[in-house]
Amino acid sequence: MTRLTIRTLSVALVALWPFGSARAADKIDFGRDILPILSANCFQCHGPDQNARQGKLRLDTQDGALRTKDPVIVPGKSTSSELVRRIGSKDPNEQMPPAKSNRKLTPQQADMIRRWIDEGAAWGRLWAFVAPTRTAVPQVKDPKAVIRNPIDNFILSRLEKEGLKASPEAAKELLLRRVTLDLTGLPPTPEETEAFLNHQSPNAYEKVVDRLLASPRYGERMAWDWLDAARYADTNGYQGDPERTMWPWRDWVVKALNDNMPYDQFTIEQLAGDLLPNATQSQKIATGFNRNNMHNGEGGRIAEETRVENVMDRVETMTTVWMGATVGCARCHDHKFDPFTQREYYQLYAYFNNSSENGGGRAGQGTPVIDFVSDEEKTMAATFGKKVQETGAELAALEKTLFPGLNDKKAKTPEAISKLPMPILEELKKAPAQRTSLKLREMIAYFQKSEPGYSKELKKLDTAIVERDGFNNKLPRVMIMDELPKPRDTFILVRGAYNKPGDKVSIGVPDCLPALPENAPKNRLALAQWLMDPKHPLTARVTVNRYWQTFFGTGLVKTVEDFGRQGEQPSHPELLDWLATEFVRQKWDVKQMHRLIVTSAAYRQSSKVTPELQERDPENRLLARGSRFRLPSWMI
């Protein structure tokens, strides 16, 4: 492999470690440059968790870090700042971070903190908690550069700053294979390959993309990533691992993706479809997203403990999928790095704490459930139900003759009726169609000899009920969400233990994120709508980043499930924000976003690697070539 010159290597290190860091000539940005250093090295002892905080020093807030009493940071004067002295100290009793923490600032990080203080120690927020802004599409200097849509402007502009050039477009057959696998999970057929190679139109590739987006295989392929995020499974995941019928929810996802359901609707129906006005069967089935958690049906399991764990799973899945947030840390204590308190965790928990699910049951179909029926099955179910009602009405008329005055409170009960066993009397007081097969058979046996004709009519009703129930019991039942008429009380659970309630809390969202509208209802529907508010700083970013990972192997933010202070900085922050705002501008059009990405010149590059580029950018974060990554096992 060709060795780089010292100068080239030094440029590479500045460019790639870390991606969001300022260069020597740039003004230091707190959220981009300083906050990640403090989070990684200081917040364990001087962060949000008051129980773990040392020396009464807090560095995660402006008031704490820039305190005027016993100051540790003196804006404009790094040489007078205790923080800088401790960072540079060689004394093991004074140096920070402490030697026992196994953390140590690099010389570049220490210098960056000094520069930040000398520049005035301007404070700021983590980039991910600030709403994305739509920056102007950058200009590219090279007149020969291939630009197919604005994505390329951002990629090429960065490459020009790094002294790199994009790779040429991949060979047609390779490009067809790449995009077909990426959009459908299947390789192109020989006929499709031949047609594309022979197609000389300048927009031949775009036509292929449109064909693939219209294919039913598109929804099946894209559903796979979503099922992973939603922790989908066809069994419960514990002990005997009984089966569950969640495939109707899976099919709902496939259909929604193929129909190009807008992402805001896709979100709202899955989190709170049951709370929509006049919710349809489809919208209720969509809420199966919330029921994909593992369920412990072990005989000795405590039902309430299982229920609480299931609710926690919903909170943590929701925040991971839509917010890229690791709030699970806060179920037991305030988050040690991100601004999520334990109280805020249980305020989110309260949204999911009002389902009728009780945590009991051993089968894979814990209530609440809904029958999944086709139009044909609805007709058949109605036919069976009608037969029960008609047979029951005929039997009711006969019973009025055989047992006159039975249900007439004013009439004297005949002696023959009063001598009947109490269980039989209780059943006779019910409408025949409301009786169970078990009770009917007891009545059949009792009247077999004394009233054989009546017993025969009872058998007719029993047969109709058995047919109806047999048909209904074979219908798939899908676990869904519902809402109790009276909300459960929610308490902060001490160290997350189900049986150790602490302070009572009500529904709410974290203070570090936009507030709920004042008139928002206190339910999951309001939470889902809050997530999809265009002003929410996380949802659009997290989603387009996941799409980028789908097509390039790595997200613009490598830690796709962690946009917090411990997550990685975006490699192309302006591009990430442009894509997020474009997603909202296009009314959350998923296929349009996918089309935008796969029709870019950046996506269409050859994946051939030169030795210099391999050493300069081994993970291809600058995207000077097409990405190489393994196909998932299911795709193979």
Side-chain angles (χ1 to χ4, degrees):
M1 179 178 292
T2 305
R3 289 187 174 275
L4 296 177
T5 65
I6 296 297
R7 179 181 179 279
T8 306
L9 182 56
S10 65
V11 171
L13 291 174
V14 170
L16 299 174
W17 184 262
F19 267 106
S21 295
R23 295 164 184 262
D26 295 338
K27 183 177 176 62
I28 298 294
D29 179 89
F30 176 82
R32 178 193 65 195
D33 304 313
I34 303 303
L35 188 56
I37 298 173
L38 298 179
S39 177
N41 296 280
C42 309
F43 285 2
Q44 183 76 22
C45 300
H46 304 292
D49 187 357
Q50 61 180 350
N51 296 320
R53 200 173 299 143
Q54 302 292 316
K56 298 181 180 180
L57 173 62
R58 187 168 185 179
L59 293 175
D60 65 305
T61 66
Q62 185 173 6
D63 290 342
L66 301 180
R67 68 190 189 190
T68 55
K69 183 180 180 180
D70 298 325
V72 294
I73 296 174
V74 181
K77 298 180 179 180
S78 64
T79 55
S80 301
S81 297
E82 181 69 8
L83 178 65
V84 173
R85 190 182 75 80
R86 291 294 189 101
I87 289 173
S89 175
K90 303 298 183 183
D91 185 342
N93 295 319
E94 289 198 341
Q95 71 180 47
M96 289 291 162
K100 63 181 180 181
S101 72
N102 293 320
R103 292 178 171 88
K104 186 174 178 62
L105 270 64
T106 65
Q108 293 88 345
Q109 290 172 327
D111 180 62
M112 200 169 293
I113 289 178
R114 291 189 192 95
R115 286 176 54 199
W116 169 66
I117 294 175
D118 286 334
E119 289 176 4
W123 202 259
R125 300 178 67 196
L126 179 69
W127 64 271
F129 296 153
V130 178
T133 55
R134 191 177 178 86
T135 58
V137 175
Q139 297 297 312
V140 177
K141 298 176 182 177
D142 184 359
K144 297 182 179 179
V146 179
I147 299 175
R148 298 189 181 277
N149 63 45
I151 288 175
D152 299 319
N153 291 75
F154 288 96
I155 300 298
L156 291 169
S157 175
R158 177 65 189 275
L159 289 176
E160 285 185 343
K161 290 178 181 178
E162 307 300 339
L164 296 172
K165 290 184 178 294
S167 297
E169 187 165 295
K172 289 187 72 172
E173 63 272 18
L174 297 180
L175 185 57
L176 178 66
R177 176 178 171 80
R178 178 189 300 172
V179 73
T180 306
L181 283 166
D182 279 349
L183 289 178
T184 68
L186 297 168
T189 65
E191 293 76 17
E192 290 168 344
T193 301
E194 184 177 2
F196 181 57
L197 292 177
N198 293 331
H199 202 309
Q200 300 303 317
S201 170
N203 63 345
Y205 175 77
E206 285 76 7
K207 289 182 177 180
V208 166
V209 170
D210 291 337
R211 171 177 62 80
L212 296 173
L213 290 171
S215 167
R217 305 288 84 79
Y218 165 83
E220 294 169 1
R221 182 266 174 273
M222 293 302 164
W224 196 278
D225 292 341
W226 190 255
L227 299 188
D228 275 352
R231 71 266 192 262
Y232 172 81
D234 290 310
T235 61
N236 271 0
Y238 285 99
Q239 290 84 37
D241 207 18
E243 291 186 3
R244 54 170 65 168
T245 309
M246 293 306 290
W247 58 262
W249 172 79
R250 176 203 66 199
D251 289 359
W252 179 92
V253 172
V254 173
K255 184 177 186 302
L257 291 168
N258 276 330
D259 292 347
N260 200 26
M261 178 183 286
Y263 190 71
D264 56 347
Q265 182 184 348
F266 184 72
T267 294
I268 289 168
E269 292 198 10
Q270 289 183 88
L271 287 177
D274 58 305
L275 298 176
L276 292 171
N278 304 312
T280 63
Q281 174 183 269
S282 173
Q283 289 168 334
K284 292 177 181 178
I285 286 173
T287 66
F289 173 91
N290 301 287
R291 303 296 305 281
N292 280 317
N293 52 273
M294 295 171 66
H295 180 84
N296 193 341
E298 182 183 2
R301 183 68 164 165
I302 299 169
E304 178 63 7
E305 184 176 12
T306 294
R307 189 192 72 80
V308 167
E309 288 186 0
N310 291 351
V311 176
M312 288 177 171
D313 175 88
R314 284 162 206 148
V315 174
E316 291 160 28
T317 301
M318 180 274 291
T319 51
T320 299
V321 170
W322 279 278
M323 294 167 53
T326 58
V327 302
C329 306
R331 70 158 71 178
C332 299
H333 51 73
D334 291 349
H335 202 296
K336 293 187 182 298
F337 303 103
D338 291 328
F340 301 122
T341 66
Q342 189 180 21
R343 174 175 291 275
E344 289 172 339
Y345 177 93
Y346 286 97
Q347 288 175 335
L348 290 172
Y349 175 101
Y351 282 105
F352 297 91
N353 197 32
N354 296 325
S355 169
S356 64
E357 179 193 27
N358 60 21
R362 304 185 69 175
Q365 298 302 112
T367 55
V369 296
I370 188 174
D371 288 339
F372 179 68
V373 292
S374 63
D375 291 339
E376 181 182 358
E377 288 168 330
K378 287 180 184 177
T379 302
M380 294 177 66
T383 301
F384 285 119
K386 183 179 179 181
K387 185 175 181 181
V388 169
Q389 295 299 324
E390 290 175 348
T391 308
E394 294 172 1
L395 187 61
L398 176 60
E399 289 178 349
K400 282 186 178 181
T401 303
L402 294 175
F403 311 108
L406 176 65
N407 291 316
D408 188 347
K409 295 180 180 179
K410 297 180 180 179
K412 186 178 180 180
T413 302
E415 183 179 353
I417 296 177
S418 63
K419 290 182 179 180
L420 291 172
M422 185 56 68
I424 299 296
L425 270 175
E426 290 298 321
E427 289 303 311
L428 285 171
K429 291 177 182 179
K430 297 178 183 177
Q434 301 301 315
R435 297 169 192 163
T436 65
S437 180
L438 178 63
K439 294 298 183 181
L440 282 171
R441 290 175 187 180
E442 292 176 2
M443 296 176 70
I444 291 168
Y446 181 81
F447 290 108
Q448 186 72 49
K449 293 182 180 180
S450 61
E451 294 289 346
Y454 174 55
S455 182
K456 185 177 180 180
E457 294 303 312
L458 288 169
K459 286 181 180 179
K460 287 183 181 180
L461 178 59
D462 178 48
T463 300
I465 288 176
V466 168
E467 289 177 345
R468 180 201 63 189
D469 292 349
F471 176 79
N472 289 341
N473 288 336
K474 290 179 181 178
L475 293 174
R477 284 181 172 79
V478 187
M479 292 188 290
I480 61 169
M481 291 293 281
D482 65 0
E483 201 81 354
L484 293 172
K486 181 182 178 181
R488 283 191 180 93
D489 289 336
T490 297
F491 301 89
I492 295 175
L493 301 179
V494 179
R495 298 201 62 79
Y498 79 97
N499 58 350
K500 292 184 178 180
D503 295 340
K504 186 176 179 179
V505 298
S506 58
I507 276 172
V509 297
D511 288 342
C512 64
L513 296 170
L516 288 162
E518 290 185 5
N519 59 348
K522 296 182 181 298
N523 59 26
R524 280 176 286 113
L525 182 57
L527 178 67
Q529 291 168 336
W530 171 77
L531 282 171
M532 300 316 300
D533 187 324
K535 296 178 182 177
H536 198 290
L538 290 169
T539 305
R541 277 187 178 126
V542 168
T543 305
V544 297
N545 188 61
R546 191 181 297 113
Y547 295 157
W548 193 269
Q549 177 182 252
T550 296
F551 298 112
F552 286 94
T554 303
L556 293 169
V557 176
K558 189 175 182 179
T559 51
V560 292
E561 295 184 348
D562 187 359
F563 272 51
R565 292 165 174 168
Q566 292 287 289
E568 188 183 278
Q569 298 282 295
S571 60
H572 297 75
E574 293 83 6
L575 173 57
L576 178 65
D577 279 11
W578 187 88
L579 288 171
T581 55
E582 180 69 5
F583 196 27
V584 174
R585 192 182 73 83
Q586 293 289 349
K587 302 186 185 302
W588 304 99
D589 189 324
V590 177
K591 285 190 177 182
Q592 174 60 26
M593 181 54 60
H594 289 175
R595 189 182 193 279
L596 182 71
I597 293 173
V598 301
T599 56
S600 68
Y603 174 82
R604 296 159 67 163
Q605 293 178 98
S606 167
S607 60
K608 291 182 179 179
V609 193
T610 63
E612 179 182 357
L613 192 56
Q614 176 64 27
E615 189 167 354
R616 174 80 180 272
D617 185 12
E619 294 186 6
N620 195 32
R621 302 303 308 283
L622 294 173
L623 297 168
R625 57 182 172 85
S627 297
R628 287 181 173 184
F629 53 96
R630 294 180 184 275
L631 295 178
S633 59
W634 61 266
M635 194 178 287
I636 294 173

